[in-house]
Amino acid sequence: MRHFAHLEGQEQLFLHPPEDVGRDSDQGLRAVALGATLYTPGIRPDLVHDVRRQTALGAGSIVLCLEDSVADADLPVAETHVEDALRALQQDADDATLPQLFLRVRDPGHLRRLTDRFGDRLLDVLTGFVLPKFEDSPNSGSRYFDVLDDLNAGRPEHRRLLVMPILESPSIMHRETRTEALAALRDLLLARRRDVLALRIGATDLSSVFGLRRPSHLTVYEVQVLASVIGDVVNVLGRARDGFVVSGPVWEHYPGSDRVFRTQLRATPFEVAGDLALRRQLLLEGFDGLLREVTLDRANGLTGKTVIHPRHVPLVHAMSVVSDEEFSDATDVLANVDGGVAASRYGNKMNEMRPHHDWAERTILRARAFGVANPDVTFVDVLERSLQ
């Protein structure tokens, strides 16, 4: 899988194009390359068509969901749809054309039952599993890993199934239990690092603890009880030296949401790119809020995002491309092993070699996954090409 492989004229966009990412790629690169992880309800009747179509349009990671998106009464039908889809994909499976594909289950018992039913051949299509309501308790985290150990026994290293736990339990939301809960999760997850591709934050379930739902004109960082959870999750589990890739929370709004406040999406980048019509389109579809939240996600230590509509994918990916300015700063920092400071080649900031080292390493990893834009190319140019 390679991001933007579906676009023509990539040499016009990229100074350094994205790398191919496969099962034999290092796990850190695979985690960053998740990008916009698209959730697809398992109850949809033609999941094979959905997976193939969205992959062809640029989705690099897709989740077939059998949890909250499927009503209890519909679960047997959804499970059959997923089984049929995995069987069809397995028959012509090609790692070069498949996304990173995950199955979201309901609980450890559900994972055990489904994997027994599907068998190794169908599971081989999957990258792994998304694990909801993940906690360090007998009813969740450790039991999930018990099932995973059985599934991976005897599998070759590059075919091992990985997991993405979702942090969404009330013990994480409630202030009085959060520190202890996150510390216990850290101990459990560090012991199972090789099995964990990334962590996801379940903003919808966390909001439900207080009966909240954020509107499309506000980012998650303007809902203070959620913002405090994100900060603490990154503090404990997303540290640069020994933490995990933590994905941005779901953007759950469809195109066309009503506007309340004036947009903060500046016109200048679109004027420079000669495409004010694209800005108007993004405003009409309510996507300026998503662009702002993706920017704030990265500033707060999150990588990638959970999305529920195919139109979200190109926006998240365009915002993930590393600019020439970021790349030049990162390479300058990493090239200097003696410390000190130096002005950026762009003449607008100071690069401090030791404090910016971990940021630079993360930036280079993102550049490998999403490419480095040519000096005169912005996210507007990438987005315009992606939406054609």
Side-chain angles (χ1 to χ4, degrees):
M1 184 278 297
R2 179 165 52 86
H3 285 299
F4 306 111
H6 62 298
L7 300 185
E8 297 182 358
Q10 291 192 40
E11 67 281 355
Q12 299 169 7
L13 296 175
F14 294 106
L15 178 67
H16 300 292
E19 294 183 12
D20 291 325
V21 179
R23 285 192 163 186
D24 55 351
S25 300
D26 66 82
Q27 200 158 308
L29 178 60
R30 293 175 70 184
V32 171
L34 289 166
T37 298
L38 178 63
Y39 273 50
T40 300
I43 195 61
R44 289 181 61 84
D46 195 351
L47 290 173
V48 173
H49 172 78
D50 293 340
V51 169
R52 288 174 175 158
R53 174 174 169 76
Q54 299 313 323
T55 302
L57 293 175
S61 59
I62 296 176
V63 176
L64 306 180
C65 181
L66 292 172
E67 201 220 3
D68 287 342
S69 67
V70 176
D72 293 345
D74 294 333
L75 184 59
V77 175
E79 290 176 351
T80 298
H81 288 175
V82 168
E83 182 177 13
D84 291 344
L86 294 181
R87 181 172 291 107
L89 292 170
Q90 190 274 330
Q91 290 173 357
D92 60 355
D94 182 351
D95 287 350
T97 58
L98 279 177
Q100 297 197 73
L101 187 63
F102 301 87
L103 179 62
R104 185 185 188 189
V105 297
R106 296 191 167 203
D107 53 51
H110 191 213
L111 175 61
R112 173 79 71 181
R113 180 171 61 81
L114 281 183
T115 54
D116 287 346
R117 170 179 172 176
F118 293 165
D120 286 343
R121 290 188 65 189
L122 297 192
L123 295 178
D124 211 35
V125 178
L126 296 174
T127 298
F129 307 98
V130 176
L131 311 179
K133 315 296 189 293
F134 191 92
E135 295 181 282
D136 180 29
S137 73
N139 296 320
S140 182
S142 299
R143 290 179 57 210
Y144 276 127
F145 283 124
D146 289 341
V147 181
L148 187 69
D149 286 342
D150 292 340
L151 294 174
N152 281 330
R155 279 182 173 268
E157 183 65 25
H158 73 288
R159 289 289 174 180
R160 293 178 63 258
L161 296 162
L162 304 174
V163 296
M164 293 197 292
I166 308 178
L167 310 181
E168 55 185 350
S169 300
S171 62
I172 295 172
M173 191 62 160
H174 293 153
R175 174 72 74 181
E176 68 272 19
T177 56
R178 186 183 309 162
T179 299
E180 182 179 354
L182 288 176
L185 280 172
R186 176 178 167 81
D187 290 342
L188 174 62
L189 293 170
L190 285 177
R192 305 301 302 249
R193 176 182 290 280
R194 69 193 294 261
D195 298 313
V196 179
L197 183 59
L199 305 179
R200 315 199 74 86
I201 296 174
T204 301
D205 277 55
L206 291 173
S207 297
S208 73
V209 174
F210 291 99
L212 302 176
R213 184 177 190 179
R214 77 184 189 279
S216 63
H217 59 269
L218 295 179
T219 71
V220 70
Y221 300 97
E222 293 164 292
V223 182
Q224 290 302 305
V225 288
L226 282 175
S228 69
V229 174
I230 293 172
D232 287 344
V233 167
V234 173
N235 192 319
V236 178
L237 297 170
R239 300 170 187 174
R241 297 298 174 89
D242 64 353
F244 299 86
V245 166
V246 182
S247 178
V250 64
W251 184 262
E252 64 182 10
H253 300 283
Y254 290 111
S257 300
D258 291 337
R259 179 176 309 285
V260 176
F261 299 115
R262 177 177 296 176
T263 182
Q264 293 182 309
L265 185 62
R266 294 175 60 241
T268 303
F270 297 87
E271 291 174 345
V272 171
D275 198 350
L276 283 172
L278 176 58
R279 180 176 182 271
R280 287 194 294 273
Q281 177 186 344
L282 295 175
L283 295 180
L284 287 172
E285 295 189 60
F287 284 149
D288 50 319
L290 172 58
L291 293 174
R292 178 168 173 76
E293 186 162 292
V294 170
T295 302
L296 291 171
D297 283 342
R298 186 172 303 125
N300 284 276
L302 305 181
T303 302
K305 198 154 193 69
T306 299
V307 299
I308 51 86
H309 194 283
R311 289 281 287 176
H312 299 155
V313 173
L315 280 80
V316 175
H317 288 175
M319 296 291 287
S320 300
V321 175
V322 173
S323 69
D324 180 70
E325 179 176 348
E326 290 176 300
F327 185 71
S328 66
D329 287 341
T331 52
D332 287 350
V333 167
L334 294 178
N336 189 323
V337 296
D338 297 324
V341 298
S344 165
R345 277 184 259 174
Y346 273 71
N348 57 4
K349 71 178 77 65
M350 189 68 71
N351 290 328
E352 295 192 53
M353 305 310 166
R354 291 198 174 99
H356 290 145
H357 184 273
D358 292 334
W359 166 84
E361 287 192 333
R362 287 186 169 188
T363 300
I364 295 301
L365 198 58
R366 180 161 55 91
R368 292 174 60 193
F370 291 96
V372 179
N374 278 316
D376 59 344
V377 169
T378 70
F379 82 92
V380 177
D381 301 292
V382 179
L383 184 55
E384 179 184 30
R385 191 75 61 84
S386 300
L387 292 176
Q388 288 178 351

